[in-house]
Amino acid sequence: MQTLGRRKEGQDVYAFCLDGPAGTGKSSFAIVYSKVLEELTGEKIKFLKYTCNEKTGKEETFEDVNLVAAITHDAEKLIIPGFVAQAINECNKGNRVVLRLDEYDKAKPAEDSFLLEFLQEASMYSSQTGELKLKDPGKLQVILCKNDNRAQLSYPLTRRLNFIELEYTTPSDMAEIIGMKMKEQDPAIKVLIV
């Protein structure tokens, strides 16, 4: 299966980062990007989103334990899948997925290594559920949106991300940027949005 975007060397899952000040349309860009992919592929895109905060860590990324389920011995609801686990599960059902991680730079710096490992290996490991692996990494694209809460993401993570710097954009600016990214994927694409 062909991937939806061009992955960098050492990267199993395609990901890019939208960087720019608050209010530049990064979140909206990710939504429009998903709709364009839907048009280009002719497939329904499952759009998942998560907004990071200063507490975002491994529990929100991979999984957490539902304490109420643990107390009531409800084994089926014991594990709460994090945003990466949800994306893997959706892709493994055959869906194409775009996962938007808003305000990623608010997440704990240790989050960079969890995400990096996932982008490199297309899998995650948990002591609760074992390994959860993407059957087809080409079914998933990850979009990080960041402001300047953390000056830099970790160097190993940034090496594996494609960066798009956004300033305040007009709809035609956004169409041009999306067109450039799609042209990288398929040089035969002439015009996406007029």
Side-chain angles (χ1 to χ4, degrees):
M1 182 66 63
Q2 181 183 357
T3 61
L4 293 174
R6 183 168 292 147
R7 294 175 281 188
K8 285 193 162 191
E9 188 175 328
Q11 177 183 21
D12 270 358
V13 177
Y14 177 72
F16 63 90
C17 182
L18 301 173
D19 194 0
T24 54
K26 296 179 297 291
S27 299
S28 298
F29 182 102
I31 293 168
V32 171
Y33 183 85
S34 294
K35 290 178 182 178
V36 169
L37 286 178
E38 207 165 71
E39 290 292 320
L40 287 174
T41 63
E43 294 182 58
K44 179 85 173 119
I45 302 290
K46 181 95 174 172
F47 184 74
L48 302 177
K49 59 187 177 188
Y50 180 80
T51 301
C52 299
N53 59 57
E54 55 281 339
K55 294 180 182 178
T56 300
K58 192 171 184 176
E59 295 82 12
E60 292 78 18
T61 306
F62 296 135
E63 66 186 11
D64 202 358
V65 175
N66 181 340
L67 295 177
V68 173
I71 293 168
T72 60
H73 303 291
D74 187 352
E76 287 185 25
K77 295 182 182 173
L78 184 60
I79 303 300
I80 301 169
F83 54 81
V84 168
Q86 291 174 34
I88 291 171
N89 290 331
E90 285 298 327
C91 288
N92 288 348
K93 290 177 190 173
N95 296 314
R96 287 197 179 274
V97 175
V98 170
L99 172 61
R100 180 186 73 196
L101 303 179
D102 255 336
E103 301 190 29
Y104 181 79
D105 52 328
K106 286 185 179 177
K108 296 176 186 175
E111 179 68 16
D112 291 2
S113 62
F114 301 138
L115 187 60
L116 172 64
E117 184 177 342
F118 173 68
L119 295 177
Q120 290 180 157
E121 307 294 329
S123 67
M124 58 172 256
Y125 180 81
S126 128
S127 58
Q128 303 295 321
T129 57
E131 184 178 34
L132 185 57
K133 186 165 182 63
L134 273 169
K135 293 176 187 172
D136 181 357
K139 293 236 178 234
L140 175 63
Q141 286 198 3
V142 179
I143 301 173
L144 280 68
C145 300
K146 77 178 262 319
N147 301 320
D148 290 322
N149 291 303
R150 228 188 320 149
Q152 297 240 355
L153 304 179
S154 74
Y155 179 68
L157 178 61
T158 59
R159 281 192 348 227
R160 286 167 178 84
L161 293 172
N162 295 295
F163 277 82
I164 298 174
E165 302 248 349
L166 291 182
E167 295 180 11
Y168 295 99
T169 56
T170 65
S172 63
D173 291 337
M174 191 175 288
E176 183 179 338
I177 293 166
I178 291 172
M180 288 186 308
K181 290 310 281 181
M182 292 296 101
K183 198 161 189 79
E184 283 178 16
Q185 174 191 331
D186 184 355
I189 295 174
K190 301 288 186 233
V191 175
L192 286 175
I193 302 172
V194 182

